[in-house]
C-alpha cells in the first residue's frame, strides 16, 4: 500500500490538499490436501467459487459461454466436431436436434461430447488488481470541504440473479432478454430463448468486470471564531 500526499495550493484564505492511496494484495492457494478442488459455492451442481491449487483464493469458475444453437445445421456439425456442449443432450438413438435450438452452448473443453465438471474453466478472480482512494480537501476561509473518491480496478463478479431470472416463466426478466433467440423474430441472437426454465449454468455470460469509481464521502464543516463575537 502506498499513499501520496500533496499541498496543491496553500494561501491565507484558500488551501487545497490531495491524498492518493493505492493498494495491491496477492494471494494463492498452494495446497488443499488430497482433494482436486473444494467448492465454496455452486449452482446446478457446478462450482462457481472454489479453491484449487495454483489459483487465487477468490477464484471464479464456470463454463465458457459460446452463444446458442441457431439452426439444425449447427447442431449436426457439432455432433461431429464436439466443439460445444449443452444442458440438453441428444444421441444417435434419439437425434431430436430441434430441442437444442436457442439453447445455451458451452465450450467442450475435454472434447468428449458431454457436459461435465471437466469442462469448467477459471474465469478470473474476485480480487481487484489495485484499489484505494483519492481525498481532496479544500479550505476556504473557515469553511472546510472534503471529497473522497473510492476506486477498484480489475476483479470479476458473478451476477448470481442471472442464473435464475433469465429465461424463466416465474420471475422478472432483465431488459436484455427482449433480444433473446427466437426462430422467427430473432434467429441470429446469441442469448438463450425465453421460457425454457433455468436456461443458464454458471458461465462467462454472468461474469462481469467489478471495477468501479464512486463518491464515498462528502464532508462539510465550518469553524466559528467566537472571539470576534465578544463585545469590545
Amino acid at each position: 500500500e502506498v499513499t501520496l500526499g500533496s499541498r496543491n495550493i496553500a494561501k491565507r484564505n484558500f488551501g487545497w490538499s490531495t491524498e492518493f492511496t493505492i493498494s495491491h494484495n496477492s494471494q494463492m492457494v498452494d495446497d488443499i490436501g488430497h482433494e482436486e478442488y473444494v467448492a465454496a459455492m455452486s449452482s446446478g451442481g457446478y462450482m462457481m467459487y472454489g479453491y484449487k491449487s495454483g489459483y487465487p483464493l477468490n477464484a471464479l469458475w464456470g463454463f465458457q459461454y459460446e452463444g446458442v444453437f441457431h439452426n439444425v445445421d449447427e447442431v449436426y456439425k457439432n455432433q461431429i466436431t464436439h466443439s460445444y456442449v449443452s444442458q440438453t443432450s441428444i444421441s444417435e438413438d434419439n437425434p431430436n436436434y430441434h430441442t437444442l435450438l436457442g439453447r445455451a452452448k458451452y465450450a467442450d473443453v475435454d472434447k468428449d461430447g458431454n457436459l461435465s465438471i471437466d469442462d469448467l474453466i477459471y474465469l478470473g478472480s474476485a480480487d481487484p488488481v489495485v484499489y484505494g482512494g483519492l481525498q481532496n480537501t479544500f479550505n476556504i476561509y473557515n469553511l472546510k470541504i472534503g471529497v473522497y473518491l473510492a476506486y477498484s480496478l480489475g476483479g470479476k463478479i458473478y451476477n448470481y440473479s442471472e442464473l435464475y431470472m433469465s429465461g424463466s416463466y416465474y420471475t422478472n426478466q432483465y431488459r436484455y432478454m427482449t433480444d433473446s433467440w427466437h426462430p422467427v423474430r430473432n434467429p441470429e441472437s446469441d442469448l438463450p430463448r425465453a421460457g425454457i426454465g433455468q436456461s443458464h449454468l454458471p458461465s462467462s455470460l454472468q461474469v462481469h468486470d467489478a471495477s468501479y469509481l464512486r463518491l464515498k464521502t462528502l464532508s462539510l464543516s465550518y469553524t466559528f471564531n467566537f472571539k470576534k463575537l465578544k463585545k469590545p
Side-chain angles (χ1 to χ4, degrees), residues 3 5 11 26 36 63 84 115 138 144 164 167 176 178 187-188:
T3 300
K11 295 185 177 181
S26 179
E36 182 180 354
F63 299 102
Y84 311 111
L115 184 71
F138 303 91
K144 184 177 181 181
Y164 294 96
Y176 72 74
T178 59
E188 299 302 320

Side-chain angles (χ1 to χ4, degrees), residues 37 42-49 60-67 83-87 104-110 112 114-124 158 163 199-207:
Y37 66 88
S42 301
S43 178
Y46 298 106
M47 178 170 64
M48 297 175 62
Y49 293 91
L60 280 65
W61 300 89
F63 299 102
Q64 179 61 46
Y65 183 77
E66 298 289 351
S83 298
Y84 311 111
V85 286
S86 177
Q87 278 184 293
K105 62 183 182 182
Y106 309 96
D108 189 1
V109 176
D110 59 3
D112 67 349
N114 297 308
L115 184 71
S116 68
I117 60 173
D118 294 327
D119 296 314
L120 291 175
I121 62 171
Y122 171 66
L123 296 176
Y158 258 112
L163 289 169
S199 58
H200 296 323
L201 292 173
S203 73
S204 56
L205 179 64
Q206 301 99 26
V207 174

Side-chain angles (χ1 to χ4, degrees), residues 17-33:
S17 61
T18 300
E19 188 174 89
F20 176 72
T21 301
I22 184 170
S23 304
H24 170 74
N25 288 327
S26 179
Q27 36 75 20
M28 190 69 64
V29 177
D30 293 326
D31 188 4
I32 55 173

Side-chain angles (χ1 to χ4, degrees), residues 11-231:
K11 295 185 177 181
R12 180 178 179 182
N13 296 318
F14 180 76
W16 171 30
S17 61
T18 300
E19 188 174 89
F20 176 72
T21 301
I22 184 170
S23 304
H24 170 74
N25 288 327
S26 179
Q27 36 75 20
M28 190 69 64
V29 177
D30 293 326
D31 188 4
I32 55 173
H34 64 279
E35 299 288 346
E36 182 180 354
Y37 66 88
V38 175
M41 184 176 182
S42 301
S43 178
Y46 298 106
M47 178 170 64
M48 297 175 62
Y49 293 91
Y51 315 122
K52 188 173 182 178
S53 297
Y55 291 91
L57 182 66
N58 295 313
L60 280 65
W61 300 89
F63 299 102
Q64 179 61 46
Y65 183 77
E66 298 289 351
V68 304
F69 289 104
H70 298 96
N71 51 62
V72 172
D73 289 340
E74 287 187 8
V75 179
Y76 178 77
K77 181 180 179 180
N78 189 63
Q79 291 297 102
I80 301 173
T81 62
H82 294 301
S83 298
Y84 311 111
V85 286
S86 177
Q87 278 184 293
T88 302
S89 61
I90 59 176
S91 64
E92 294 182 359
D93 297 330
N94 183 27
N96 189 4
Y97 293 168
H98 287 85
T99 61
L100 285 178
L101 298 186
R103 288 188 177 271
K105 62 183 182 182
Y106 309 96
D108 189 1
V109 176
D110 59 3
K111 301 298 181 181
D112 67 349
N114 297 308
L115 184 71
S116 68
I117 60 173
D118 294 327
D119 296 314
L120 291 175
I121 62 171
Y122 171 66
L123 296 176
S125 173
D127 295 324
V129 178
V130 293
Y131 63 94
L134 177 67
Q135 173 73 47
N136 279 291
T137 303
F138 303 91
N139 293 282
I140 306 172
Y141 290 91
N142 293 336
L143 180 66
K144 184 177 181 181
I145 302 173
V147 181
Y148 180 68
L149 300 173
Y151 70 90
S152 179
L153 300 177
K156 303 293 184 179
I157 188 170
Y158 258 112
N159 185 348
Y160 191 72
S161 63
E162 286 185 87
L163 289 169
Y164 294 96
M165 292 178 64
S166 299
S168 173
Y169 284 118
Y170 309 108
T171 67
N172 293 326
Q173 301 293 300
Y174 282 96
R175 186 182 299 275
Y176 72 74
M177 283 302 294
T178 59
D179 192 39
S180 61
W181 182 90
H182 188 274
V184 178
R185 295 192 301 270
N186 204 12
E188 299 302 320
S189 173
D190 275 322
L191 292 175
R193 72 188 190 197
I196 56 175
Q198 293 180 15
S199 58
H200 296 323
L201 292 173
S203 73
S204 56
L205 179 64
Q206 301 99 26
V207 174
H208 304 277
D209 184 6
S211 300
Y212 67 84
L213 173 66
R214 68 168 181 256
L215 175 64
K216 188 173 183 179
T217 305
L218 178 62
S219 62
L220 181 67
S221 63
Y222 188 87
T223 302
F224 293 94
N225 188 346
F226 289 103
K227 291 182 178 181
K228 293 184 178 181
L229 298 179
K230 293 182 179 180
K231 293 182 181 180

